[in-house]
Amino acid sequence: MFETAELGRKVSKADFKAQVPALRTELLKVQQDLRREKRFQVIIVFGGVDGAGKSETANTLNDWMDPRGIATHAFSSPTDDERERPEYWRYWRTLPPKGDIAMYLGAWYSRPLIDCAYGRLDWAAYDRDLSRIAAFEKELVDDGALILKFWMHLGKRAQKKRLHALEKDPLTRWRVTEREKENWKMYDQFEVASDRLVHKTNTIESAWHIVEGEDANYRTLTVARIVRDALRRKLEARDEPARGNPPNVVDRERSQINVLNHLDMQQEICKKEYKVQLEKYQGRLNQLILEGRRQGISTILVFEGADAAGKGGAIRRLVAALNAHQYKVIPIAAPTDEEKARHYMWRFWRHLPRAGRVTLFDRSWYGRVLVERVERFATEAEWKRAYAEINDFEEQLIDSGAVVIKFWIHITKNEQLKRFTARENTPYKRWKITDEDWRNREKWTEYEEAVDDMVQLTSTAIAPWTLVEGNDKRFARIKVLKTCCHFLEEALRRRRDGKGKEDG
């Protein structure tokens, strides 16, 4: 598919100089409109052949546009921080806010392409990586981002000529590395892998633009015009998704099969037994977390539940078993302006722990399909697609070696009323109760329906939900501790079994 990028297109120096002033002015104009409106962010990806002008083109766009609203990201081998987290962690952290432009050199395409060309990935594994890329980009586009992808191409002879010219010039010699020389020797393997990459990730939402890279003037004007035109079209598109009453996600009788209706809310533990079990499971948890740290297993705990369900109390009993340097609690409230300016998952990606650490989310990414759904903070399209996005996110966490444990702590409506009243009547607890808590009670049925859909659609084999009967706080706290111990024991057993197979 790269034949059309080997036609020898050129733009003379005089024509280039004549066209640049107007083009630069137009680029600055659309960038200013983008920064003023802040409706979406722009992600520009440069892939392609070594020496085809990826970095030069990015540098030119940086030079031609306002540097205050544009950033360039190039990635080398992962750092220790990056290796201890899911692969896409370093990409999510660099995503621009709405109104800004970010340019990426290679980025999420580089590792799969190189591994495939060098035979470290078979076709099935390569296709899985490319599918993950496509899903990642679709998630960003669905959230409103404009993604522009440029494949900068050179034929085999043209690449050899280009690398030779760079190496010959003392000012550019540093840019030709031994890796690039080796890559040229494997040009044919890279071409096959590149062809598959472009086909598999070329979508309507984020299409590839194949750009002939031999003539610098031609490739610069081509890329700049595409960026200008795409920004204009996106800025002129004013259609916003309609907000409305979201229909049921799953067609079924709510009153008959709602998962919360099947919980035995009468379960309880006496005070004496509670103290015995608390000491037992806190001690066990402490040992499991220490072993998980030695094994490099990160633990991610998610706590959701109705207002006053006891999430905070369960978290306090859990962290009491840990040393302060082992864990971090992330309380999730309404998003800040910085967080609103990016994809809703951005604020969760950036809090992911390193290997061996523990992170507890007091409320989480499930807010999109709970409070944001019920309170109409998210559109129907946004919360409906969130189920698949969340499942993919958690799959990436687990693929990276993390243990993900999710709790919904449930209480009955009558029990919640008792706790609300107790909070209002206790001076040092009064801060816990707000007008919003009382308003949420009026939507109890809607929240139950949202929880039912959440459990049905995101309780997967690798990241199941644990539903905790919370009317008795002591029972709930012990169930949380026992469940954490169980998941960690299973993770450590799998790690030992895996090492045993490797050793064998």
Side-chain angles (χ1 to χ4, degrees):
M1 68 179 297
F2 299 118
E3 291 86 352
T4 58
E6 297 180 18
L7 299 178
R9 299 180 183 92
K10 293 184 178 181
V11 173
S12 70
K13 191 173 182 179
D15 285 345
F16 182 77
K17 289 182 68 175
Q19 295 180 53
V20 165
L23 184 54
R24 290 184 66 170
T25 301
E26 291 162 355
L27 277 171
L28 282 167
K29 173 64 168 59
V30 292
Q31 186 188 13
Q32 289 167 356
D33 292 343
L34 171 71
R35 297 194 70 199
R36 182 179 66 254
E37 295 187 15
K38 298 185 185 302
R39 286 194 292 118
F40 59 92
Q41 58 274 90
V42 180
I43 296 167
I44 302 175
V45 179
F46 291 100
V49 174
D50 294 333
K54 298 186 289 288
S55 59
E56 294 94 330
T57 307
N59 289 339
T60 299
L61 288 178
N62 257 314
D63 185 47
W64 287 5
M65 302 174 81
D66 186 345
R68 292 172 296 179
I70 191 166
T72 304
H73 303 283
F75 299 89
S76 55
S77 298
T79 63
D80 289 343
D81 260 9
E82 293 166 343
R83 275 193 293 270
E84 294 182 11
R85 292 178 171 92
E87 181 178 9
Y88 280 61
W89 178 74
R90 62 174 176 170
Y91 306 128
W92 273 94
R93 293 173 69 231
T94 63
L95 292 178
K98 293 176 182 177
D100 279 13
I101 300 171
M103 295 191 292
Y104 293 87
L105 302 180
W108 40 92
Y109 286 96
S110 295
R111 195 272 307 159
L113 175 62
I114 293 169
D115 282 354
C116 181
Y118 278 88
R120 295 191 289 266
L121 282 181
D122 60 25
W123 289 117
Y126 189 43
D127 285 348
R128 285 195 295 272
D129 280 343
L130 298 182
S131 294
R132 173 145 287 166
I133 288 172
F136 171 57
E137 292 177 349
K138 185 178 187 303
E139 192 171 337
L140 300 180
V141 171
D142 284 345
D143 195 57
L146 173 62
I147 298 181
L148 298 172
K149 301 189 299 192
F150 298 97
W151 191 267
M152 317 298 278
H153 183 71
L154 287 174
K156 191 172 184 179
R157 290 183 180 178
Q159 187 190 24
K160 183 178 181 180
K161 179 181 176 182
R162 171 69 171 159
L163 293 176
H164 180 71
L166 289 170
E167 194 171 27
K168 190 175 179 180
D169 188 339
L171 297 177
T172 59
R173 187 176 298 150
W174 61 272
R175 291 172 53 189
V176 183
T177 65
E178 290 302 317
R179 189 203 71 177
E180 284 159 340
K181 293 178 184 178
E182 187 64 28
N183 288 351
W184 178 82
K185 294 177 184 177
M186 302 182 67
Y187 184 95
D188 294 340
Q189 292 94 318
F190 270 95
E191 186 170 46
V192 172
S194 298
D195 184 81
R196 194 179 189 95
L197 178 152
V198 171
H199 273 110
K200 293 282 186 179
T201 60
N202 189 51
T203 64
I204 294 174
E205 300 89 356
S206 54
W208 280 104
H209 301 274
I210 311 298
V211 179
E212 190 167 356
E214 189 166 0
D215 182 69
N217 292 342
Y218 169 79
R219 71 176 181 244
T220 301
L221 292 178
T222 299
V223 170
R225 287 173 184 146
I226 291 171
V227 171
R228 175 201 62 192
D229 295 344
L231 269 165
R232 278 179 175 171
R233 286 193 299 270
K234 183 78 170 174
L235 287 163
E236 291 167 1
R238 299 285 175 173
D239 294 335
E240 294 290 340
R243 289 179 179 268
N245 294 327
N248 293 341
V249 175
V250 182
D251 185 16
R252 57 181 182 268
E253 287 293 331
R254 299 284 184 182
S255 60
Q256 293 180 11
I257 67 168
N258 189 300
V259 293
L260 300 178
N261 293 345
H262 295 277
L263 297 177
D264 180 3
M265 301 303 294
Q266 303 303 313
Q267 296 186 81
E268 59 184 25
I269 294 178
C270 69
K271 193 171 184 180
K272 182 178 180 180
E273 180 63 19
Y274 170 70
K275 289 182 177 179
V276 172
Q277 293 202 32
L278 183 66
E279 183 177 355
K280 173 185 174 181
Y281 287 109
Q282 283 182 334
R284 179 61 179 152
L285 180 63
N286 179 272
Q287 295 304 308
L288 290 167
I289 291 294
L290 287 173
E291 180 60 24
R293 180 155 191 163
R294 286 191 288 267
Q295 296 289 337
I297 296 174
S298 59
T299 305
I300 298 169
L301 301 168
V302 175
F303 287 86
E304 294 284 357
D307 295 327
K311 297 183 298 297
I315 290 172
R316 286 194 294 276
R317 272 64 183 185
L318 196 152
V319 300
L322 311 178
N323 295 324
H325 65 274
Q326 292 175 325
Y327 71 88
K328 187 173 184 180
V329 178
I330 308 295
I332 300 299
T336 64
D337 289 342
E338 180 187 27
E339 292 165 344
K340 287 178 183 176
R342 292 172 172 84
H343 192 286
Y344 80 98
M345 290 296 295
W346 176 79
R347 63 172 171 163
F348 305 112
W349 272 97
R350 64 179 182 153
H351 287 303
L352 296 183
R354 295 186 65 172
R357 271 65 164 191
V358 180
T359 296
L360 303 94
F361 287 92
D362 185 354
R363 300 201 183 276
S364 68
W365 42 93
Y366 284 98
R368 174 56 59 107
V369 297
L370 293 174
V371 64
E372 292 184 43
R373 165 184 168 171
V374 175
E375 303 298 336
R376 312 298 192 262
F377 297 148
T379 66
E380 178 184 340
E382 287 171 338
W383 64 257
K384 272 190 169 183
R385 67 173 178 260
Y387 299 107
E389 294 171 348
I390 287 169
N391 287 339
D392 181 66
F393 170 58
E394 291 176 355
E395 183 180 340
Q396 292 185 62
L397 299 181
I398 291 160
D399 284 350
S400 72
V403 177
V404 178
I405 310 173
K406 305 184 301 192
F407 297 102
W408 174 266
I409 303 181
H410 187 59
I411 55 174
T412 60
K413 195 172 183 180
N414 287 338
E415 178 63 25
Q416 186 188 59
L417 180 59
K418 290 179 185 177
R419 295 184 186 184
F420 277 11
T421 303
R423 286 179 176 184
E424 284 195 330
N425 294 333
T426 307
Y428 63 85
K429 289 186 178 181
R430 201 168 291 152
W431 65 272
K432 292 184 176 183
I433 188 75
T434 66
D435 291 341
E436 185 178 347
D437 294 327
W438 288 107
R439 284 195 301 270
N440 288 345
R441 271 183 61 80
E442 298 173 6
K443 298 179 180 179
W444 184 273
T445 300
E446 290 181 68
Y447 273 103
E448 280 196 330
E449 292 177 358
V451 172
D452 193 45
D453 285 335
M454 176 191 77
V455 174
Q456 296 281 353
L457 298 172
T458 64
S459 192
T460 62
I462 58 174
W465 277 99
T466 297
L467 304 180
V468 180
E469 300 84 349
N471 274 8
D472 182 74
K473 293 181 180 180
R474 292 190 290 264
F475 176 86
R477 292 164 185 171
I478 296 302
K479 185 169 181 177
V480 166
L481 284 165
K482 288 171 69 174
T483 302
C484 289
C485 290
H486 168 73
F487 274 92
L488 285 165
E489 285 167 350
E490 285 296 301
L492 289 165
R493 179 188 58 77
R494 288 193 297 270
R495 181 66 63 91
R496 287 193 298 270
D497 291 348
K499 285 188 176 180
K501 290 178 182 178
E502 290 175 10
D503 295 340

